[in-house]
Amino acid sequence: MTKKHRENLPISPDDFMHEFMRFKRGSVTRRHFLGVTGLGLATAVMARSPGAFSTAAYAAEDLGTKMSIATWPNYHDPATFENFKAATGVAVEVNVFGSNEEMLAKLQAGATGWSLFVPTNYTISTYHKLGLIDELDLSKLTNFSAATENPRFTKEGQIDGKTYAVPKNWGTTGFAVNTSKLKTPMKTWKDFFEVAQTEADHRAMVHDYQLTTIGSALVALGYGFNSIKPDELAKAEELLIKVKPHLFAINSDYQPGMRATDAWMTMCWTNDGAQLNRDIPAIAYVLGTDGGEIWTDYYAIPKDAPNKAAGYALLNYLMDPQNAVKEHIANGAPTTDSRVISLLPKEIVSNKIVYPDEAALTPLEFGAAVTLTDPGRAELMARFKSA
Amino acid sequence: MHNDIEFRSVTKNYGAVTAVSDVDLQVPKGAFLALLGPSGCGKTTCLRMIGGFEQPTSGTVLISGREMNGIAPYRRPVNMVFQHYALFPHLNVEQNVGYGLKQMRPRIEASEIARKVALALEMVRLGGFAQRRVHELSGGQQQRVALARAIVNKPAVLLLDEPLAALDRKLRTAMQIELQTLQRELGITFVLVTHDQEEALSMADLVCVMNTGSIRQLGTPQEVYDHPTDLFVADFVGKTNRVTATLETDGRTLRLADGSALNVGERRGMTAGDAILAIRPEAIRVDRHAKPGATGFQGTVTNRIFLGSTAEYSVAVPGLGDFLITSDRRNLHESELVEPGQTVFLGFDPTTAHLFPVSSSA
Amino acid sequence: MAVSAENKRRLVTAALVGPAAVWLFTFLVLPFTAVVIFAFGERAPEGGYQPAFTLAQFANLGARSAAFANTLTLAPIGALACLLIAYPVAYYLAIKADQKYRMLLISLIVIPFWTSMLVRTYAWMYLLGARGIPHLFELAGIDDVRLLNTPGAVLLGIVYGYLPLMILPIYVSLEKLDRRLLDASADLGASPVSTFFGVTLPLSLPGVMTGVALVTILLLGEYLIPQLLGGGKVFFIGNALVDLFLQSRNWPFGSAIAVTLVVVVVAVLLVAMRIAWRVSGSRQVDLI
C-alpha cells in the first residue's frame, strides 16, 4: 500500500534527477544517436592516482600511459580499469557503442585509436576478411585458458586454426514482460508480436537493430533467425510493418521505458533482463521456445591499434578469473570460462535468466556473418523504420 | 465661422513632466497655423494630440467642433505629414498614396482610388513616379509623396511635423512656396510644427510661439515679429540686440549701463525698474557720423559679413557690449560699405524699440 | 622594405578572410567534395565505399522517399508551428513590453539554451512519459493518455527546441520597425488590425523568413528529436543518414542522400530570400 501510494505521487525533483541519470547512463551509452550528438564520444578516463605499483610482469614492456577500448554500455566494472591503472600506470579511455554495425563502420573509416574492442561473434569473420584485426599472440595472454573455455562460445574467435578473438561472455536475446501489466502468458516470438498488437498496444518495444528485430520477426513466422531469403524477408517485413503502428518505440535503449512503465514489453538481452528483473521483480525475461538468438561477445585487437602492448596487457588482465568474476557480477552476462563460474556467488549461478536450462537454449541460433553485410536486411530495416 | 481646431485648457503630463500646460487655442477654418518654438516647448505634443497619438491629461481638443477625447487616430478627420515622412518602404509610390483611400469604409472602388491617387501625384508634380519604390526617390520627392499621401484623403486638417527639416536649403525654400500654394488650392486648415522661425513666418498666416508647454504669443507673422509680447518671443522670432537698463519713475527715461539716458516715450504696462531694451538688427542705421539730434551709440566695427543685398556688422559699443546690425545697402548713405576698425554711429528710434521687464525672458 | 598601399590592402584582406577560408576549405569544401565523389560510387560488399561512376545511388533515392516525405512535411509544419507561437511573443517583446523588462524577458527565452539540447529533450521524455503528464491525467481519472513517442510529441519537441531561433530574428525585425510607420498607418485611417496586416507583418517578413528558413533548414537535418520523442518510429532524413553510415554502411547511398538534402536546403534558402525581398521591398535581408 505504501509503495502504491508512492508510485501515485506526482514527479518529484529528486525522482526526476534520479530517472534522468538513469536514462543518461543507459542511453548516453546506447545506440547510435549519441555518436551523432557528440555525447557518444563521452568517455570515461578511469584514472585517479598515478600507477605506482607496476608489477614485474608488466614492467618488461613499455605500456605507455593511456589506451582506449571500444565496448558496450554497462558492460564493465569501473573498478576494473582503476585497478588496471594502479597496476600498470595505463589510463583506460572507454568508448561505448550501440551496435556491431557502428563499431564496424568506425573501424572501416579508420583511425579509431582503439587498442582493444568487444565485437560480437558473427562479426569476427568480417573483421578478419577486411583485415581489420590482428591474430592474437597468445603468449602475451598468459591468463587465457583455452582448456577451461566452453568451446560452444570460442569457435568463432578462431579462423583457419588461428585465434583472432577470445570470449568475454555470452548471452541471449529474448523479451522482457512486465507481468503486472500484461496477463497473457507468452512463450514464443509469435506470442510477442500478437500481444504487441493487442493487449500491449502502444506498449511494446523492438530493437533499433536489424539482426534481432528482423531475426525475431522471422522466428515468429517460423523461419530461421538469420534468413536472407527474399520471400521470407518479405513476410517478415509485412509483419513488422503491420506491428509498427502499435509499437511504443523502435529503440535498443529499452530499460528507461520499461522502468517508467511507458513500455510493458520489449526485446531484451540477458544482462538487461537480469538487471530489470533484479530491480522490478514483476518484469520477467522470456526466451522464445520458437527460437531467437544466442551470442558471444569477444575481445579483439584492431590492426591499427596505437598501443598494442597496453591492449594485450588489459586483455590479459581481464582474462584473470579474479578480475573476470568482478566483471561478471557487475554486468550480469554469463561467463564462458569454467574457472570464473567456480568463483561466482551461488545466487548468480542459479539465476535462470543468466544461466538458463540447456533445453531453453536449444532453439536459439547464433547470428550469422552474412546478416551483418546483407544489403537486403539493411534496406528492410530502413523501410520498416520509415514506414 | 467655426474653428477647425480648438484646445480648451489642454494639459499633457508625462509622469512628473508637464509637456503642455493649460493651453487654449482656436484655429479658424482654412488657416495656416505654425506652432513655433524650441525643442521641448510642447509644439509636437500639441500636434500629436490633434492627430490622436497622444491624449490630453486634462482639457479637451476639438476638431471641426467635435470633441476628440478618447478617439483613436484612425477615426479622426486629420492627416499628418510626418517628420522624415514615414513612407511605407514595402509599398511603391502609388500604394503609399492610396493607402488611406483603401482604408475608407464604405470601400472605394479600385479605379476610383487609382484616379484620386493619380490626381494627388499630379498635384505634387510626381506624375510619372507611381510605380517607383520609395527608396529610389530623393528626399524632396519623398516629401511630396508624404504630402500626396496625406492630402489625397481630403482631411479637414493637415498636420505637418517639421516637414522640411530634412531638405537642403534650396529645396526647402521651393517647398515652402509649394506648401503655401497647395494650402490655398485645397482651402483646408494646415497646422505646421517647426523650430525654424523663418519657415514659420514665411508660410503661416498665424504663428503660435510656444515655450515650456505654454503659448507665448499667437498672431500673424507680422504681429509676432514686430510686436513680440515678451522677450522670449522677441528673441526666438528674429534676432535681437539686448541692452540692459533701468526705467526711471517718470516711465519714459531709460538709464543705460554706461550712465546715459534715453527717452523711450510713454510705455504702458511698464513699471519703473530693471528692464531690457530689445532692438532688431534691421532697426539700426549705420552712419559714419552722428546726425544732429539723433539717438544712438558710438561704436567700432569689429566684423562684417557681406550678404549681397544686405550686410551684417558686429559693432562693439563701449559699456554696452556688441551689437548686430543688418544693413540694407540702400541705408548706407555716405558710402558703400563700412570697414572693420572704423568708428560708426548706430542710430535708432528709441520710441519704437521694444522694452521688456527683465523677468519676461524665461 | 616598403610595402605598397595595394599590397598592404591585400595583406589585410588575406588576414581577415584567410583563416575562415582555410577553415571552410578544410572542413566544408573538402569533405563535401568527398561526399559528392562517394555519391557516384558503389557500396563495397562488406560496406563502405568502392570507386565507380554510377548514378545508381541517385536512382535509388526513391527507397528513402518515406524519409524525405516525413521530413519535407514535418519540417515546414514544425517551422509553421514555431512561427505561430513565436510571432506573438516576438511582437509582445518588441512592441508592447516595457523597455525596462525587455532584456530580462529575452534572457528568459535564451537561458534554457545554455543547457544541452539532449538534457532538455530527456526532460520532455520524462514529462510526456508514463510517470509525467499522463500520470496527472490518471489521477484525474483519465486513463491511458499516451503522449510520448507520438507525432505530437515530436512536434512539441521541435517547437520547444527551435522556438528561440524563431523568436529572435522576428524580434529583431520588429524592434527595427520604425514606430512612426504605425502612427502613419493609423493616421491614414487604418485600424490596428489593418495596420498589423498592412504594415507590421510585411515589414517583419525578413525576420519571419529568416526564422522560418533557419528552423526549416535545421529541421531538415533533425535527428535527435524524432529519435527521442518519436521513439524511432518517426523517421527523418537525418535518421536515414545515420542508419546508412553507421548501420548498413552504405556510404555511397548515404552520400547521395546528403547531397540531395544540401540541394533541398539551398533551394529552401533561395525561395525564402526571394519571398522576403519581394515583400519587404528591400534587398537588405539578413538571413541569420
Side-chain angles (χ1 to χ4, degrees):
Chain A
M1 191 61 219
T2 323
K3 192 160 185 297
K4 178 81 182 146
H5 176 69
R6 269 189 58 85
E7 277 173 3
N8 284 338
L9 282 173
I11 323 146
S12 77
D14 278 357
D15 277 350
F16 174 79
M17 280 321 289
H18 174 73
E19 282 305 312
F20 173 68
M21 290 317 289
R22 189 192 279 284
F23 267 143
K24 204 169 163 172
R25 276 199 306 273
S27 187
V28 156
T29 53
R30 181 78 67 176
R31 278 283 136 182
H32 44 236
F33 71 81
L34 300 150
V36 172
T37 59
L39 271 174
L41 296 176
T43 52
V45 177
M46 304 297 178
R48 224 174 36 203
S49 56
F53 304 101
S54 297
T55 63
Y58 299 119
E61 208 173 349
D62 182 14
L63 301 180
T65 56
K66 60 185 179 187
M67 64 163 284
S68 95
I69 178 173
T71 183
W72 310 106
N74 298 326
Y75 222 36
H76 297 277
D77 182 354
T80 300
F81 298 119
E82 283 187 51
N83 295 339
F84 178 71
K85 158 116 187 179
T88 63
V90 179
V92 181
E93 187 192 61
V94 181
N95 301 297
V96 291
F97 283 84
S99 76
N100 280 288
E101 280 80 355
E102 199 178 341
M103 264 186 197
L104 173 57
K106 291 268 150 97
L107 274 175
Q108 277 185 298
T112 57
W114 308 335
S115 295
L116 190 64
F117 75 117
V118 188
T120 302
N121 54 287
Y122 71 104
T123 63
I124 293 164
S125 61
T126 303
Y127 284 119
H128 171 253
K129 189 172 160 192
L130 295 173
L132 294 170
I133 51 174
D134 267 349
E135 182 191 352
L136 292 178
D137 178 356
L138 292 178
S139 71
K140 291 181 179 164
L141 300 175
T142 51
N143 290 330
F144 173 69
S145 152
T148 54
E149 291 285 349
N150 184 338
R152 180 185 199 170
F153 303 115
T154 56
K155 58 176 184 291
E156 285 183 273
Q158 286 161 345
I159 298 165
D160 304 332
K162 293 174 183 169
T163 301
Y164 284 88
V166 292
K168 168 171 164 43
N169 50 240
W170 63 282
T172 57
T173 308
F175 52 93
V177 179
N178 188 331
T179 55
S180 69
K181 301 285 188 184
L182 295 172
K183 300 304 175 193
T184 313
M186 282 175 274
K187 286 186 156 30
T188 62
W189 284 107
K190 194 164 181 292
D191 295 339
F192 176 88
F193 283 105
E194 269 167 24
V195 172
Q197 296 172 71
T198 51
E199 194 186 358
D201 186 24
H202 204 266
R203 297 293 185 189
M205 292 178 74
V206 299
H207 291 170
D208 183 4
Y209 184 27
Q210 62 82 15
L211 180 74
T212 49
T213 294
I214 297 175
S216 305
L218 286 164
V219 167
L221 294 163
Y223 305 127
F225 181 81
N226 289 307
S227 174
I228 53 163
K229 291 179 187 151
D231 54 331
E232 295 180 1
L233 286 177
K235 292 275 191 219
E237 180 173 357
E238 201 178 295
L239 173 62
L240 287 171
I241 285 175
K242 192 168 75 160
V243 172
K244 188 183 174 188
H246 302 283
L247 291 175
F248 170 68
I250 303 166
N251 195 337
S252 307
D253 181 20
Y254 43 84
Q255 279 211 36
M258 288 296 285
R259 288 176 188 273
T261 69
D262 276 315
W264 297 346
M265 182 167 85
T266 181
M267 286 183 187
C268 185
W269 287 296
T270 300
N271 38 327
D272 290 318
Q275 287 170 30
L276 285 169
N277 176 259
R278 184 187 64 211
D279 297 343
I280 307 171
I283 297 181
Y285 181 73
V286 181
L287 286 176
T289 56
D290 48 356
E293 188 199 9
I294 183 169
W295 44 265
T296 313
D297 280 341
Y298 289 76
Y299 288 113
I301 295 180
K303 185 150 269 170
D304 65 355
N307 191 354
K308 282 188 184 163
Y312 273 107
L314 178 59
L315 179 50
N316 197 39
Y317 184 85
L318 290 164
M319 284 294 136
D320 181 337
Q322 294 298 334
N323 297 326
V325 74
K326 288 182 203 150
E327 291 278 288
H328 190 317
I329 293 166
N331 80 34
T335 182
T336 58
D337 186 348
S338 60
R339 293 179 301 170
V340 177
I341 294 183
S342 64
L343 295 172
L344 280 171
K346 198 178 174 317
E347 69 270 18
I348 291 184
V349 183
S350 61
N351 184 336
K352 291 296 176 205
I353 294 176
V354 182
Y355 289 103
D357 294 331
E358 189 53 42
L361 299 178
T362 312
L364 307 184
E365 294 173 71
F366 278 101
V370 66
T371 62
L372 181 65
T373 52
D374 180 54
R377 282 180 77 122
E379 284 301 291
L380 192 165
M381 196 64 192
R383 286 195 296 275
F384 165 57
K385 285 167 74 179
S386 63
Chain B
M1 192 169 106
H2 71 272
N3 293 315
D4 248 353
I5 290 170
E6 194 175 343
F7 277 48
R8 289 185 189 156
S9 318
V10 171
T11 296
K12 175 69 185 177
N13 298 325
Y14 295 103
V17 181
T18 302
V20 172
S21 167
D22 197 26
V23 163
D24 284 287
L25 174 69
Q26 283 102 37
V27 184
K29 194 171 170 54
F32 193 144
L33 170 78
L35 292 169
L36 174 67
S39 63
C41 72
K43 60 189 190 296
T44 303
T45 306
C46 283
L47 193 77
R48 290 179 64 81
M49 283 194 286
I50 302 171
F53 305 111
E54 307 287 350
Q55 295 292 336
T57 309
S58 64
T60 312
V61 174
L62 295 93
I63 299 174
S64 306
R66 271 178 60 209
E67 283 198 23
M68 284 288 141
N69 286 11
I71 293 181
Y74 65 96
R75 295 188 196 281
R76 296 190 180 209
V78 300
N79 283 118
M80 193 187 288
V81 175
F82 288 82
Q83 198 174 3
H84 309 297
Y85 324 133
L87 297 179
F88 303 122
H90 59 302
L91 304 179
N92 66 19
V93 168
E94 186 178 33
Q95 290 163 330
N96 262 283
V97 176
Y99 190 89
L101 295 174
K102 276 179 84 174
Q103 310 299 332
M104 290 192 180
R105 301 291 179 274
R107 284 181 189 281
I108 303 172
E109 264 183 58
S111 59
E112 180 65 7
I113 291 179
R115 197 185 60 80
K116 289 187 173 186
V117 168
L119 218 63
L121 284 176
E122 224 37 75
M123 201 160 207
V124 296
R125 299 192 283 112
L126 281 176
F129 290 78
Q131 300 307 319
R132 293 284 185 94
R133 286 274 177 188
V134 167
H135 60 85
E136 295 166 349
L137 302 180
S138 71
Q141 289 166 334
Q142 292 188 13
Q143 162 68 261
R144 287 163 211 234
V145 175
L147 257 178
R149 184 176 73 172
I151 61 174
V152 76
N153 306 299
K154 299 253 184 292
V157 179
L158 182 71
L159 309 175
L160 303 115
D161 186 7
E162 304 265 7
L164 309 178
L167 302 181
D168 64 52
R169 190 185 173 83
K170 224 173 161 170
L171 208 52
R172 200 156 62 215
T173 316
M175 279 307 292
Q176 285 174 4
I177 296 167
E178 277 191 47
L179 277 175
Q180 270 188 311
T181 315
L182 198 65
Q183 199 255 347
R184 271 197 300 275
E185 282 174 15
L186 292 168
I188 61 175
T189 307
F190 276 30
V191 179
L192 167 83
V193 157
T194 182
H195 65 273
D196 180 341
Q197 51 98 9
E198 213 176 292
E199 196 170 291
L201 297 182
S202 63
M203 284 199 283
D205 46 40
L206 204 53
V207 176
C208 175
V209 185
M210 294 186 71
N211 193 33
T212 58
S214 38
I215 295 176
R216 305 304 283 262
Q217 188 170 1
L218 178 67
T220 64
Q222 200 181 342
E223 279 167 358
V224 170
Y225 190 84
D226 288 347
H227 306 288
T229 51
D230 59 25
L231 194 54
F232 171 80
V233 177
D235 260 348
F236 197 81
V237 183
K239 291 169 180 167
T240 299
N241 292 298
R242 295 171 169 221
V243 182
T244 50
T246 310
L247 184 66
E248 300 202 334
T249 44
D250 65 356
R252 52 175 62 232
T253 306
L254 195 66
R255 185 69 58 189
L256 303 185
D258 64 352
S260 61
L262 292 174
N263 184 347
V264 292
E266 182 93 27
R267 294 286 171 154
R268 266 193 287 173
M270 281 292 293
T271 50
D274 290 345
I276 288 173
L277 186 68
I279 315 163
R280 293 281 187 215
E282 70 276 10
I284 300 175
R285 269 175 55 156
V286 181
D287 289 305
R288 294 198 192 278
H289 304 289
K291 295 264 163 62
T295 309
F297 314 114
Q298 198 85 35
T300 311
V301 175
T302 56
N303 196 20
R304 187 192 73 200
I305 301 168
F306 177 63
L307 295 168
S309 61
T310 59
E312 273 186 12
Y313 297 97
S314 295
V315 178
V317 177
L320 295 179
D322 288 338
F323 278 71
L324 179 76
I325 297 106
T326 311
S327 173
D328 191 316
R329 289 175 70 190
R330 284 168 302 175
N331 293 349
L332 293 172
H333 297 286
E334 295 175 16
S335 80
E336 306 81 51
L337 289 170
V338 186
E339 296 302 321
Q342 287 185 328
T343 304
V344 289
F345 183 79
L346 307 178
F348 68 99
D349 180 357
T351 59
T352 58
H354 305 124
L355 190 65
F356 301 107
V358 167
S359 60
S360 76
S361 65
Chain C
M1 193 184 79
V3 182
S4 76
E6 175 70 9
N7 282 343
K8 206 168 176 182
R9 214 177 57 228
R10 279 194 197 135
L11 271 175
V12 170
T13 307
L16 291 174
V17 182
V22 170
W23 175 272
L24 280 177
F25 184 76
T26 315
F27 296 106
L28 185 74
V29 177
L30 281 184
F32 189 69
T33 308
V35 167
V36 171
I37 291 170
F38 278 15
F40 293 97
E42 274 172 358
R43 179 187 192 263
E46 278 79 28
Y49 164 76
Q50 147 177 312
F53 186 81
T54 169
L55 292 171
Q57 310 304 340
F58 290 98
N60 194 30
L61 282 177
R64 291 295 181 280
S65 56
F68 273 101
N70 280 344
T71 307
L72 292 178
T73 45
L74 253 170
I77 290 173
L80 190 71
C82 278
L83 175 62
L84 291 179
I85 294 171
Y87 201 98
V89 177
Y91 185 85
Y92 174 81
L93 283 175
I95 311 264
K96 300 284 176 194
D98 192 326
Q99 189 89 39
K100 273 186 293 189
Y101 303 114
R102 205 175 276 176
M103 276 338 279
L104 177 74
L105 292 172
I106 290 169
S107 314
L108 287 179
I109 287 168
V110 175
I111 280 171
F113 282 72
W114 297 354
T115 312
S116 151
M117 179 82 165
L118 187 69
V119 172
R120 286 177 291 126
T121 309
Y122 268 112
W124 274 114
M125 281 174 75
Y126 192 92
L127 287 173
L128 299 175
R131 284 190 252 177
I133 295 164
H135 185 64
L136 298 177
F137 276 102
E138 216 170 280
L139 292 179
I142 304 163
D143 279 348
D144 216 16
V145 172
R146 290 156 185 181
L147 301 173
L148 188 59
N149 295 1
T150 59
V154 175
L155 192 61
L156 180 102
I158 284 170
V159 170
Y160 172 78
Y162 291 106
L163 198 57
L165 287 181
M166 189 66 90
I167 291 177
L168 293 178
I170 298 176
Y171 167 79
V172 168
S173 67
L174 283 172
E175 218 263 330
K176 281 192 298 194
L177 178 73
D178 187 347
R179 300 295 187 282
R180 283 174 305 211
L181 296 180
L182 305 183
D183 282 352
S185 176
D187 180 71
L188 291 165
S191 66
V193 174
S194 302
T195 296
F196 176 78
F197 286 105
V199 179
T200 312
L201 186 60
L203 286 177
S204 62
L205 267 184
V208 169
M209 294 319 292
T210 302
V212 168
L214 209 59
V215 171
T216 307
I217 287 165
L218 288 173
L219 280 180
L220 287 176
E222 181 59 51
Y223 166 71
L224 195 68
I225 293 170
Q227 185 69 21
L228 294 186
L229 297 179
K233 293 192 296 174
V234 180
F235 201 68
F236 275 27
I237 296 172
N239 305 70
L241 282 174
V242 169
D243 276 9
L244 281 168
F245 280 97
L246 291 184
Q247 301 293 337
S248 50
R249 299 170 320 289
N250 193 341
W251 296 359
F253 190 31
S255 301
I257 289 179
V259 169
T260 309
L261 186 61
V262 168
V263 170
V264 171
V265 165
V266 169
V268 167
L269 236 140
L270 287 179
V271 169
M273 292 205 310
R274 193 54 66 82
I275 293 175
W277 284 345
R278 183 164 313 156
V279 180
S280 70
S282 104
R283 290 242 141 192
Q284 292 164 333
V285 175
D286 13 43
L287 281 165
I288 304 162

